[in-house]
């Protein structure tokens, strides 16, 4: 196994498992109401048949860039935990990119960097 | 096996914990008459079974999730697609370390394709959320029926013949060696047609982002038949590509409020537990029969989506 593979394995394993466990723990906090939520599960369920735009209009939720900082609400906290899972590829690619640039494999380093930029654009929204 | 079943049972109990904490208020009952936690519990159980079925049938869980859940559950397609992307992503992230460790998945093959795919999925997700629902439903129906046709008709080559690696793939060092456990032979592989593959992966990423589907149904034939990677390398590398591409599209859905925790978390956890059980059942099951059942479900779900989008249902 190449060292590059080991780097990717480490990040995929930690971020994937961490994101999943975090999502589950925070979800339990959300559904049990341990931390107040802007939108309780019951209200969320009453609106899940409508589109996401209707959902946001009815609940008054605002997903502006940087919404994930608003984690005092368990709704956002639960969504942010899912975001950790969704972000697994980013640290993996950054770690690989740094390694490839260090090894003077500029083509792969640039590709890892470009994908990271695409992911950051998606995250910033 | 017992540990996983116990964990599944424990999670079923945990998902129902909300009702004991909050009580069943008038608001907690959705129009269909079932309380929200009942739907979440049902979704968890359904995804658990779907995870087992997907593995045994040799189909990605992501491709089954969106058409079948949108056909059965009362959720809007926006939320099903958002959860579908996370389901596909979580499954891929969980499998990627094992596949990289076995030497089947190739980072060097995945990276150029993931670059094209992640740009495509970012654009596809934005367009998918901007389009009217009925247009997405009709398109999804057409895509699902196309995927079924692809599953039925596409040939696969265990070891495609690549006479010479393309100059670009040679320059990028995209080649590899792995030990095939089935034959005991060491397989050396290289690829060709990298540039057409790059454009094809953009289109695949676009469709995956737009419809919230895992893209294994298209990644594998593209890697295997177009680029000439061996089948096992194609399957493993496809999962690596999904683990990267799914991130970009998932964030678009997250940023537009199209990921509901009450749908996404039970789906992801149920599917992941199901795929673990399915992997253990694989040796004792009859994949061919289950595969036909899955294909039947997909045809029905595709037709339902098409007809619903056209206003017939």
């Amino acid at each position: 196994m190449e060292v590059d593979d080991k780097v990717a394995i480490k990040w995929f394993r930690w971020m994937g498992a961490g994101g999943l466990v975090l999502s589950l723990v925070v979800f339990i906090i959300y559904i049990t109401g341990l931390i107040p939520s802007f939108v309780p599960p019951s209200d969320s369920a009453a609106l899940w048949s409508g589109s996401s735009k209707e959902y946001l209009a009815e609940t008054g939720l605002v997903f502006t860039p940087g919404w994930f900082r608003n984690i005092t609400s368990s709704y956002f906290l639960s969504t942010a935990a899912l975001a950790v899972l969704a972000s697994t590829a980013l640290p993996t690619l950054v770690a690989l990119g740094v390694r490839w640039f260090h090894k003077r494999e500029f083509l792969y380093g640039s590709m890892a960097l470009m994908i990271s930029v695409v992911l950051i654009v998606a995250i910033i929204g | 096996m017992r540990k996983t079943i116990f964990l599944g049972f424990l999670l079923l109990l945990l998902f129902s914990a909300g009702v004991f904490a909050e009580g069943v208020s008038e608001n907690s009952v959705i129009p269909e008459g079932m309380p929200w936690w009942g739907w979440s519990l049902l979704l968890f159980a359904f995804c658990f079974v779907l995870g087992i079925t997907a593995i045994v049938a040799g189909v990605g869980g992501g491709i089954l999730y969106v058409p079948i859940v949108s056909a059965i559950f009362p959720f809007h397609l926006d939320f099903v697609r958002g959860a579908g992307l996370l389901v596909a992503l979580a499954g891929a992230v969980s499998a990627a370390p094992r596949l990289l460790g076995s030497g089947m998945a190739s980072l060097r093959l995945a990276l150029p394709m993931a670059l094209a795919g992640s740009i495509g999925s970012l654009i596809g997700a934005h367009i998918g959320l901007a389009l009217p629902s009925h247009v997405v439903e009709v398109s999804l129906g057409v895509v699902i029926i196309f995927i079924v046709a692809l599953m039925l008709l596409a040939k696969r080559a265990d070891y495609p013949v690549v006479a010479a690696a393309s100059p670009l793939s040679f320059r990028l060092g995209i080649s590899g060696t792995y030990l095939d456990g089935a034959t005991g032979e060491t397989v050396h592989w290289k690829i060709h047609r990298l540039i057409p593959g790059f454009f094809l992966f953009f289109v695949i990423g676009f469709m995956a982002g737009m419809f919230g589907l895992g893209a294994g149904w298209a990644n594998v034939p593209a890697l295997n038949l177009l680029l000439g990677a061996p089948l096992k390398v194609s399957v493993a590398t496809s999962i690596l590509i999904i683990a990267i591409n799914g991130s970009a599209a998932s964030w678009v859905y997250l940023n537009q409020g199209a990921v509901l925790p009450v749908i996404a978390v039970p789906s992801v956890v149920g599917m992941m537990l199901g795929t673990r059980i399915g992997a253990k059942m694989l040796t004792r099951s009859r994949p061919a029969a289950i595969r036909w059942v899955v294909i039947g479900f997909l045809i029905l779900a595709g037709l339902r989506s098409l007809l619903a989008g056209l206003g017939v249902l």
Side-chain angles (χ1 to χ4, degrees), chain A residues 14-119:
Chain A
W14 279 104
M15 289 291 290
L20 191 69
V21 170
L22 191 67
S23 301
L24 192 58
V25 170
V26 173
F27 181 67
I28 291 164
I29 291 172
Y30 170 56
I31 62 174
T32 52
L34 287 174
I35 296 177
S37 164
F38 285 151
V39 187
S42 52
D43 293 358
S44 193
L47 297 167
W48 64 26
S49 299
S51 69
S52 57
K53 288 187 185 75
E54 289 164 356
Y55 182 85
L56 294 181
E58 288 284 334
T59 56
L61 286 174
V62 181
F63 275 82
T64 50
W67 60 264
F68 40 86
R69 283 175 296 194
N70 197 5
I71 52 173
T72 48
S73 154
S74 61
Y75 183 88
F76 281 114
L77 186 63
S78 194
T79 313
L82 287 166
V84 172
L85 186 63
S87 307
T88 303
L90 185 58
T92 310
L93 288 164
V94 170
L96 285 170
V98 168
R99 187 177 155 69
W100 278 321
F101 275 117
H102 191 69
K103 282 167 53 184
R104 298 186 163 272
E105 289 199 46
F106 295 116
L107 273 171
Y108 276 100
S110 305
M111 273 192 271
L113 183 70
M114 281 189 273
I115 303 173
S116 303
V117 169
V118 172
L119 296 183

Side-chain angles (χ1 to χ4, degrees), chain B residues 138-163:
Chain B
V138 170
S139 315
L140 177 65
V142 172
V143 167
I144 294 298
I145 290 164
F146 169 75
I147 291 169
V148 170
L150 197 67
M151 285 166 74
L152 292 172
L153 302 175
K155 292 173 184 169
R156 290 179 175 195
D158 284 344
Y159 310 106
V161 178
V162 177

Side-chain angles (χ1 to χ4, degrees), chain B residues 61-274:
Chain B
I63 178 63
L64 296 180
Y65 182 86
V66 172
I68 297 181
V69 169
S70 65
I72 293 175
F73 287 83
F75 316 137
H76 191 273
L77 196 54
D78 285 356
F79 304 123
V80 177
R81 285 182 292 157
L85 280 167
L86 284 168
V87 163
L89 180 70
V93 165
S94 149
R98 199 175 58 248
L99 296 170
L100 277 166
S102 70
M104 296 286 180
S106 165
L107 270 174
R108 287 176 186 270
L109 174 56
L111 221 67
M113 303 306 132
L115 175 59
S118 58
I119 297 169
S121 71
L122 183 67
I123 297 169
H126 275 292
I127 292 178
L129 281 171
L131 284 172
S133 295
H134 69 277
V135 176
V136 179
E137 273 192 309
V138 170
S139 315
L140 177 65
V142 172
V143 167
I144 294 298
I145 290 164
F146 169 75
I147 291 169
V148 170
L150 197 67
M151 285 166 74
L152 292 172
L153 302 175
K155 292 173 184 169
R156 290 179 175 195
D158 284 344
Y159 310 106
V161 178
V162 177
S166 60
L168 186 57
S169 70
F170 182 75
R171 178 143 189 241
L172 287 169
I174 305 176
S175 61
T177 305
Y178 70 93
L179 180 67
D180 192 325
T183 59
E185 288 178 12
T186 301
V187 180
H188 301 276
W189 60 270
K190 53 185 181 283
I191 61 152
H192 53 185
R193 303 184 196 126
L194 190 63
I195 293 172
F198 189 82
F199 287 105
L200 184 59
F201 271 86
F202 174 84
V203 176
I204 295 169
F206 180 88
M207 290 169 76
M210 186 166 175
F211 299 116
L213 304 170
W217 55 274
N219 287 348
V220 175
L223 290 166
N224 183 226
L225 300 177
L226 180 69
L227 277 78
L231 187 58
K232 287 183 179 176
V233 172
S234 302
V235 172
T237 305
S238 158
I239 288 169
L240 205 55
I241 294 170
I242 294 170
I244 297 172
N245 290 357
S247 278
S250 295
W251 264 99
V252 174
Y253 282 79
L254 281 161
N255 279 336
Q256 299 205 21
V259 175
L260 295 189
V262 285
I263 297 175
V265 178
S267 303
V268 168
V269 177
M271 186 71 89
M272 290 195 77
L273 285 176

Side-chain angles (χ1 to χ4, degrees), chain B residues 47-68:
Chain B
C47 288
F48 180 71
V49 175
L50 204 61
I52 295 174
T53 314
I55 289 287
V56 175
V59 184
I63 178 63
L64 296 180
Y65 182 86
V66 172
I68 297 181

